[in-house]
């Protein structure tokens, strides 16, 4: 069994897939693990979706998270290797992330708050297009956006759904948010905007009963919304740990040269 670095306590959190469970068993055989409540670093085994779920469950005790990919893409994770885990974590590069906060008001008056690490998205719920107005810092910028929906993406999430919707890739540390339409019909030539991370957004739904819209913060969905407020939560910091040779900042830069 390898000895842990002095003072460093690791906990394992694995998805329920067979590969992740086998990897967790192997690591527990090789390294001294502690319960999550006692850990200094949380080792996450799974894919990007599982990593996002894990970050949502950290609560007030926001442990640094070192992920190893046992999913498909693994954009938010390092390569899985069982050897040298303690040494890899000791030299890992911390990457702080600030999530988005979403406050969605349903047409019946109920208000639901949620956190998003990748993006907040709005989607039409029926065959009819959504009609939205977009206000930024109390100034209306678009009064009549006819579309399938729209995305507000963080730099960490800019290479996910935002990129698939032809949105821009944002470097980590850019302190920008991407505002990206999904199949905009009017204004037909509007392709989105880059906004400072300090911006506060309000999206209002026109004719919400005739043209219902849902709002999604990562995987928290609120249906039949009439108003959605979104802002970056600078008071919350989530820390991902990356191997120096394969860190998140470099991955995002490389995505801009992919074809």
């Amino acid at each position: 069994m390898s000895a842990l670095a002095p003072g460093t306590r690791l906990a394992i959190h694995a998805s329920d897939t067979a590969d992740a469970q086998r990897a967790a068993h192997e690591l527990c055989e090789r390294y001294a693990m502690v319960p999550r409540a006692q850990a200094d670093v949380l080792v996450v085994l799974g894919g990007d979706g599982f990593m996002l779920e894990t970050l949502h469950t950290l609560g007030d005790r926001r442990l640094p998270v070192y992920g190893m990919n046992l999913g498909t893409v693994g954009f938010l994770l390092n390569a899985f290797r069982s050897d040298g885990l303690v040494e890899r974590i000791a030299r890992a590069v911390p990457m702080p992330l600030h999530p988005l906060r979403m406050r969605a008001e349903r047409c019946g008056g109920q208000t639901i708050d949620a956190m998003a690490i990748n993006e907040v998205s709005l989607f039409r719920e029926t065959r009819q297009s959504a009609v939205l107005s977009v206000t930024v810092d109390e100034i209306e910028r678009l009064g009549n956006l006819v579309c399938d929906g729209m995305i507000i993406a963080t730099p960490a999430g800019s290479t996910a759904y935002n990129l698939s919707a032809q949105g821009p890739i944002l470097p980590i540390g850019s302190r920008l948010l991407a505002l990206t339409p999904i199949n905009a019909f009017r204004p037909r030539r509007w392709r989105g905007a880059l906004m400072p991370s300090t911006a506060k957004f309000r999206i209002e739904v026109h004719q919400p009963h005739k043209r219902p819209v849902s709002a999604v913060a990562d995987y928290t969905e609120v249906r039949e919304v009439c108003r959605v407020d979104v802002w970056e939560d600078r008071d919350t910091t989530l820390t991902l740990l990356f191997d120096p040779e394969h860190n998140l900042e470099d991955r995002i830069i490389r995505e801009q040269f992919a074809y």
Side-chain angles (χ1 to χ4, degrees):
M1 179 181 295
S2 300
L4 291 174
T8 303
R9 296 168 298 178
L10 305 181
I12 287 279
H13 185 53
S15 74
D16 58 5
T17 66
D19 287 345
Q21 289 298 312
R22 279 193 296 268
H25 179 76
E26 181 180 354
L27 293 178
C28 288
E29 290 278 308
R30 300 188 63 173
Y31 303 98
M33 297 293 173
V34 299
R36 181 166 166 174
Q38 301 172 16
D40 300 307
V41 175
L42 184 62
V43 179
V44 173
L45 306 175
D48 286 319
F50 185 70
M51 172 61 87
L52 286 176
E53 291 179 20
T54 301
L55 292 173
H56 278 267
T57 67
L58 291 178
D60 293 333
R61 190 164 185 266
R62 301 187 187 105
L63 292 173
V65 176
Y66 182 85
M68 288 194 286
N69 184 32
L70 287 153
T72 306
V73 178
F75 196 80
L76 297 174
L77 303 106
N78 302 284
F80 176 78
R81 294 196 307 274
S82 59
D83 294 333
L85 177 62
V86 174
E87 292 75 17
R88 288 175 72 186
I89 291 174
R91 65 188 186 92
V93 177
M95 183 63 65
L97 303 177
H98 298 293
L100 298 176
R101 292 288 174 181
M102 177 186 80
R103 179 164 295 150
E105 182 180 335
R106 300 190 67 206
C107 296
Q110 181 185 15
T111 300
I112 298 171
D113 293 339
M115 182 176 80
I117 295 156
N118 271 0
E119 73 274 314
V120 171
S121 306
L122 283 82
F123 302 101
R124 66 184 176 106
E125 293 183 12
T126 67
R127 60 182 175 79
Q128 291 188 299
S129 297
V131 181
L132 311 173
S133 63
V134 180
T135 299
V136 183
D137 293 333
E138 300 184 350
I139 300 173
E140 186 179 90
R141 298 297 184 181
L142 281 174
N144 200 55
L145 174 61
V146 183
C147 57
D148 285 346
M150 65 178 301
I151 301 165
I152 301 172
T154 67
S158 66
T159 58
Y161 185 33
N162 173 72
L163 182 58
S164 297
Q166 309 303 311
I169 295 174
L170 304 179
I172 290 289
S174 63
R175 301 203 66 178
L176 294 172
L177 299 173
L179 190 62
T180 302
I182 304 171
N183 297 331
F185 181 68
R186 290 285 187 274
R188 192 178 293 274
R189 292 181 176 83
W190 189 64
R191 294 293 181 264
L194 293 176
M195 302 302 300
S197 60
T198 55
K200 293 180 171 60
F201 304 90
R202 169 164 287 185
I203 299 96
E204 299 201 58
V205 180
H206 298 199
Q207 301 175 291
H209 296 288
K210 180 181 179 183
R211 301 171 181 269
V213 170
S214 64
V216 182
D218 283 350
Y219 57 81
T220 300
E221 181 179 12
V222 184
R223 296 183 69 81
E224 298 178 355
V225 299
C226 61
R227 181 183 297 112
V228 178
D229 291 309
V230 180
W231 66 96
E232 185 183 71
D233 182 1
R234 298 295 298 183
D235 294 328
T236 298
T237 301
L238 306 170
T239 304
L240 298 183
L241 302 175
F242 290 95
D243 295 331
E245 66 275 10
H246 202 49
N247 63 62
L248 182 61
E249 186 172 18
D250 181 63
R251 293 183 201 191
I252 289 178
I253 290 172
R254 284 190 285 108
E255 281 289 333
Q256 297 181 79
F257 296 91
Y259 58 91

